[in-house]
Amino acid sequence: MTMMVYVTCKDLTEARYISSHLLESKLVACSNFFPVQSMYSWKGEIVEEAEYVIIMKSVKKNFDRIKREILKTHSADVPCIVSYEIKEGHEDYLKWLKKSVE
């Protein structure tokens, strides 16, 4: 099963580092990162800050390893690391995705 992994990072440097590491490890096939403005509740306070989001494409069997690798280097105490199943997509792209993480 193919999936997307969504991660938020404190800045572009962290997003690039995590993306590069997971690509070099062949745990993900592709990584997109972009700036966002976030608001969230943390320790009883509403926090608003600039972050970077990473959306990575991979396969479900890699998720536990992806999560472990992110947790080793991520700056947050409780980083956002979630996955979403890709139920449909361009068939040739999904074939490439699977082949890239073998």
Side-chain angles (χ1 to χ4, degrees), residues 76-93:
D77 293 337
V78 184
C80 170
I81 306 169
V82 296
S83 70
Y84 302 93
E85 179 182 355
I86 299 173
K87 292 185 178 187
E88 295 182 64
H90 177 51
E91 200 172 291
D92 289 341
Y93 177 81

Side-chain angles (χ1 to χ4, degrees), residues 8 40 42-43 51 71 74-81:
T8 55
Y40 54 91
W42 182 249
K43 297 183 179 179
E51 295 184 297
L71 289 171
H74 203 287
S75 62
D77 293 337
V78 184
C80 170
I81 306 169

